[in-house]
Amino acid sequence: MCDNYGPHGKAEVVDWCTDHGIELVYTPTNASWLNWIESEFTAVRYFALNGSDYPSHSAQQAAIAGYIRWRNQRCHPKRHFAIGSKIRQPDYLPNVA
């Protein structure tokens, strides 16, 4: 899943995805909450940054890196997203001005 950032639709990206069996699923405009990476950023903020008062950038960086190492040891691939969902093949027109 990716946002509607222009480079995601470039021919070389589309060709590479096709060659590697990857389907790009775009989030609707202004729906960043649907993008999984946003939830990962929220977790970093919650576990490593909220309520913090690090004495230096190095200490803050160490806290973020520590969280990322902890998270990576416990992560699992996200699979079978939105099977049969309209987000893959919508039958409605997007809202455009």
Side-chain angles (χ1 to χ4, degrees), residues 13-94:
V13 173
V14 172
D15 292 343
W16 186 90
C17 290
T18 301
D19 293 344
H20 291 85
I22 295 172
E23 176 189 3
L24 293 180
V25 178
Y26 294 96
T27 57
T29 304
N30 297 322
S32 62
W33 53 273
L34 286 172
N35 192 340
W36 276 325
I37 193 64
E38 298 296 336
S39 65
E40 299 297 336
F41 289 141
T42 299
V44 168
R45 187 171 50 246
Y46 180 81
F47 289 111
L49 300 176
N50 282 358
S52 65
D53 187 18
Y54 295 108
S56 67
H57 288 289
S58 298
Q60 182 182 40
Q61 183 179 1
I64 293 169
Y67 168 74
I68 292 172
R69 279 191 302 275
W70 178 88
R71 176 69 180 104
N72 285 344
Q73 291 171 351
R74 291 159 181 80
C75 68
H76 303 286
K78 292 173 170 67
R79 300 187 187 277
H80 309 298
F81 173 74
I83 300 300
S85 172
K86 284 188 174 189
I87 197 169
R88 288 180 177 262
Q89 297 176 345
D91 60 358
Y92 53 86
L93 296 175

